[in-house]
Amino acid sequence: MFMNERFEVLDAFRGICAISVVVFHMSLVGSITEWAFFRGSSIFVEFFFVLSGFVLAHSYGAKKNLNFKIFMKNRFFRLYPLHFFMLSIFILLEVANLFFYKLGFSFRGIPFSGKTGISEIIPNLLLLQSWFPSAYPLSFNGPSWSISVEFYMYAIFFLTIFFLKKCKWLVWLCISITSFFLIYFHYELLTNEVMKGLSCFFGGAFTYVVYKKLATYRINYLFGSVIELILIIAVVYVVQSSLEYKSIIAPALFIIVIFSFAYESGFFSLILKKKPFQRIGVLSFSIYMTHYVVVIFVKSLAVVMQKVTGINLAPVINGGRYIDFGNATLNNIFLLSIILFVIIVSSFTYKNIEIKGQILGKKYLSNNAFSYK
C-alpha cells in the first residue's frame, strides 16, 4: 500500500466531529442534543489538534529549505480570513445586543462586559486569547479558542523542523508526553487550552512518523474492518463517559483512531469516502467556525419570540438556555434544520472566504517571492 497524498477518511472524521460540536452547542429539550455522546462532544476539539499535527507532519515534516515567513503566511491565510470575518460578526452582534439591552431584552448578559468586553477584542484579533491567562479563551466566537492555540502551534512546529531536523520526531514525542504529564498532575505551566494543544498536536505529529514507517504494510480488509468497528465503539464509549482521566484517555484513543484509519483499509473507511462525508469534511473548518453564531442567533430569536408570544420557547434549565417547541420530535426536526442551515452557511463561507483567502495568500506570496530568495 502506498502512502496517501490526502487522507480522505480522516477528512470525513473531521466533518463528523465538527457536526457533533454543532449538536453539543445546541440545547433542545428531549432531543438528541441531550444524549450523553453529544454532551461529551466538546472533546472532539482534541481530535482536531491530533489530526492537525498528523497532517502537518505529512505535508511539511520531510520538506527541506522551509522558509518561516512563507510557512506562517500560508497558515495565516488558511485560518485568519474566516476567523476575522467571524470576529467581526460577533462584534456587530454585541453592538446589536447593546441596542436590545437598552430596550429591555437580555440575550448574553451586559453588552461589552466580561468575556465580550472591549479588552478582549485585541487578544481575539491577534489569536492570543488562549495564551494569556488574563484573557477569556471563549470570548466572542467561542470555538476560535482552538484556532488561537493552533496558529502559534504552527510556529513551534516549524522551529522543531528547522532546527532539529533528524531528531524532530523525538522532540515531538517529548513535547506530547510532557504535556500529558502536566495535564495529569494539574501543573499550570501554561494555560489549559495550550497544554491540550501541545499534547495532542505533537502527539499527532509523532503518530505520522510511526505511520510513515509502517505505511507500506498491507492490512487485510476483514481485519481492518474489525479494528475500525472496535475503535468506533471505543470512541462512542469514551466520549459519552465521565471517566476521571478522560482528558488524557480520549486524546490517546484519537491518536490510535487516526493512525488506524489513515490506512483506509476497512468497511467503515469505504463508507467515509462517500460524497456526503467528504463534503462535510471539506466544509469542516467553516462548520466549526460559523455554527456558534447560528446557535446564538437561534437562541436569541427564541427569547424574543417567548417575550412576544408568552410561550415558553426558551426555558433556562440548569443555568443553560434551551429551546422547546413542546414536542421531542419537533425539537429533533428543528435540530436537523439547524444543522442543514449551518452546512449551507458553511458552503458560502468556504467558497467566498476560505478559498478566496487562500487564493489571496497565494497571490501575495507569489508577488513577494523575490524577498524570500
Side-chain angles (χ1 to χ4, degrees):
M1 187 178 78
F2 296 100
M3 277 204 307
N4 294 320
E5 288 300 318
R6 180 170 170 266
F7 298 93
E8 294 180 337
V9 173
L10 299 183
D11 281 346
F13 267 119
R14 197 198 305 265
I16 292 170
C17 291
I19 294 294
S20 297
V21 173
V22 176
V23 179
F24 166 77
H25 281 127
M26 284 297 299
S27 301
L28 292 102
V29 176
S31 73
I32 65 171
T33 64
E34 303 315 291
W35 290 4
F37 175 81
F38 291 114
R39 286 299 89 214
S41 289
S42 62
I43 197 75
F44 282 133
V45 177
E46 275 90 324
F47 183 92
F48 296 148
F49 285 141
V50 176
L51 184 54
S52 291
F54 185 92
V55 172
L56 263 289
H58 171 67
S59 300
Y60 294 98
K63 280 192 174 181
K64 297 179 180 180
N65 301 318
L66 278 178
N67 181 284
F68 182 74
K69 288 185 178 179
I70 294 176
F71 176 80
M72 289 305 296
K73 285 180 179 178
N74 271 323
R75 307 320 301 164
F76 175 89
F77 283 105
R78 174 68 183 90
L79 299 181
Y80 201 84
L82 185 55
H83 164 66
F84 179 75
F85 176 76
M86 294 308 302
L87 176 60
S88 300
I89 286 179
F90 271 89
I91 292 173
L92 289 175
L93 278 178
E94 202 63 17
V95 172
N97 186 30
L98 177 61
F99 173 78
F100 283 106
Y101 185 80
K102 292 182 177 180
L103 295 179
F105 292 97
S106 180
F107 299 120
R108 302 181 69 192
I110 300 174
F112 289 110
S113 65
K115 65 181 183 180
T116 55
I118 297 293
S119 62
E120 297 300 317
I121 293 177
I122 296 301
N124 274 267
L125 188 63
L126 299 178
L127 283 173
L128 289 168
Q129 68 268 34
S130 292
W131 293 82
F132 289 168
S134 60
Y136 288 91
L138 299 179
S139 54
F140 294 104
N141 189 15
S144 67
W145 76 264
S146 63
I147 308 305
S148 165
V149 172
E150 190 158 318
F151 182 71
Y152 294 98
M153 209 69 65
Y154 295 151
I156 299 172
F157 175 76
F158 175 90
L159 293 175
T160 63
I161 295 174
F162 187 81
F163 289 108
L164 301 170
K165 296 181 172 57
K166 291 184 178 181
C167 66
K168 58 184 177 289
W169 62 271
L170 181 59
V171 175
W172 296 344
L173 178 61
C174 290
I175 291 174
S176 180
I177 291 176
T178 301
S179 299
F180 276 125
F181 177 87
L182 294 174
I183 291 171
Y184 179 83
F185 287 102
H186 304 288
Y187 287 131
E188 297 182 359
L189 185 63
L190 297 167
T191 67
N192 184 56
E193 291 76 19
V194 172
M195 296 308 299
K196 286 180 181 180
L198 287 169
S199 59
C200 295
F201 182 94
F202 287 101
F206 177 76
T207 300
Y208 177 76
V209 175
V210 179
Y211 166 79
K212 185 179 179 181
K213 293 287 185 183
L214 303 176
T216 54
Y217 289 92
R218 291 185 177 275
I219 296 179
N220 176 272
Y221 174 76
L222 179 59
F223 178 73
S225 298
V226 171
I227 293 298
E228 289 179 358
L229 176 60
I230 292 171
L231 288 173
I232 289 172
I233 293 172
V235 168
V236 172
Y237 171 76
V238 170
V239 169
Q240 69 182 12
S241 73
S242 55
L243 295 169
E244 184 178 359
Y245 300 111
K246 184 176 177 178
S247 61
I248 296 174
I249 294 171
L253 177 59
F254 295 155
I255 286 172
I256 297 171
V257 168
I258 287 171
F259 173 80
S260 301
F261 276 90
Y263 285 93
E264 302 181 348
S265 59
F267 170 77
F268 295 96
S269 287
L270 291 179
I271 297 299
L272 292 172
K273 285 188 173 185
K274 300 298 182 182
K275 190 174 181 178
F277 292 107
Q278 289 300 297
R279 182 58 181 169
I280 62 171
V282 168
L283 299 177
S284 58
F285 181 52
S286 272
I287 290 172
Y288 180 71
M289 290 294 286
T290 64
H291 80 275
Y292 200 55
V293 72
V294 175
V295 171
I296 289 175
F297 177 78
V298 168
K299 289 185 177 182
S300 298
L301 184 60
V303 171
V304 173
M305 293 299 295
Q306 179 174 274
K307 288 233 179 189
V308 172
T309 65
I311 301 172
N312 194 24
L313 292 172
V316 175
I317 303 174
N318 296 325
R321 179 71 67 181
Y322 279 71
I323 294 176
D324 185 17
F325 291 99
N327 180 284
T329 301
L330 287 177
N331 289 343
N332 279 315
I333 292 172
F334 183 71
L335 173 64
L336 178 60
S337 69
I338 292 300
I339 292 172
L340 292 175
F341 181 69
V342 168
I343 291 173
I344 291 170
V345 170
S346 299
S347 297
F348 173 83
T349 55
Y350 173 75
K351 179 181 178 181
N352 293 284
I353 298 174
E354 279 195 67
I355 295 298
K356 289 185 177 179
Q358 292 174 49
I359 292 172
L360 178 65
K362 288 178 181 178
K363 287 182 178 178
Y364 176 81
L365 291 172
S366 176
N367 291 338
N368 291 275
F370 66 91
S371 63
Y372 302 123
K373 293 180 180 179

